[in-house]
């Protein structure tokens, strides 16, 4: 019976760890979304007030909106890069870990 409890405890820790990873990823996606669209929403407020957008808001909207895809990509691939980096050991650079995560393969390639 004690073995059963230990297995259940181990599974509980794994589930808790996975839940934490999912929560962190969801928070990262949410921050990315709000960072990307906050300037457009601010600009929409200026539109609603029939006021011309400040130049800085135009520039920030023009910079951040196209970056949403990049932010999503970074959030998506980050766990894979971390896994490749940890499996590759101290000799694996971040660039090598990124290549492994993006293209697949092993750390020795």
């Amino acid at each position: 019976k004690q073995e059963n409890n230990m297995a259940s405890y181990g599974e509980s820790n794994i589930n808790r760890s996975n839940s934490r990873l999912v929560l962190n990823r969801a928070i990262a996606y949410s921050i990315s979304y709000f960072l990307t669209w906050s300037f457009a929403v601010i600009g929409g407020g200026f539109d609603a007030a029939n006021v011309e957008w400040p130049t800085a808001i135009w520039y920030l909207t023009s910079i951040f909106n196209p970056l949403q895809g990049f932010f999503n990509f970074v959030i998506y691939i980050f766990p894979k890069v971390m896994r490749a980096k940890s499996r590759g050991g101290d000799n694996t650079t971040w660039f090598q870990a990124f290549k492994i995560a993006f293209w697949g393969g092993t750390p020795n390639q």
Side-chain angles (χ1 to χ4, degrees):
K1 182 170 172 136
Q2 188 173 8
E3 288 176 9
N4 224 2
N5 288 340
M6 292 301 285
S8 175
Y9 179 75
E11 290 172 9
S12 174
N13 282 342
I14 290 171
N15 289 339
R16 189 174 300 123
S17 176
N18 286 339
S19 295
R20 175 67 65 174
L21 292 174
V22 170
L23 175 66
N24 288 342
R25 192 178 249 187
I27 290 170
Y29 279 118
S30 298
I31 290 170
S32 167
Y33 176 82
F34 287 115
L35 176 66
T36 300
W37 286 100
S38 62
F39 302 109
V41 170
I42 292 168
F46 284 107
D47 282 344
N50 289 325
V51 176
E52 188 174 323
W53 287 35
T55 305
I57 298 296
W58 271 114
Y59 282 121
L60 290 170
T61 301
S62 297
I63 290 169
F64 279 93
N65 276 8
L67 285 175
Q68 184 173 14
F70 175 74
F71 294 151
N72 289 343
F73 171 73
V74 169
I75 294 165
Y76 173 78
I77 202 157
F78 180 74
K80 296 175 188 200
V81 172
M82 292 298 293
R83 191 175 317 117
K85 179 90 169 120
S86 68
R87 287 182 182 168
D90 293 335
N91 295 334
T92 304
T93 65
W94 285 105
F95 182 72
Q96 290 170 329
F98 173 78
K99 281 187 358 185
I100 293 164
F102 188 75
W103 295 107
T106 62
N108 298 332
Q109 292 180 333

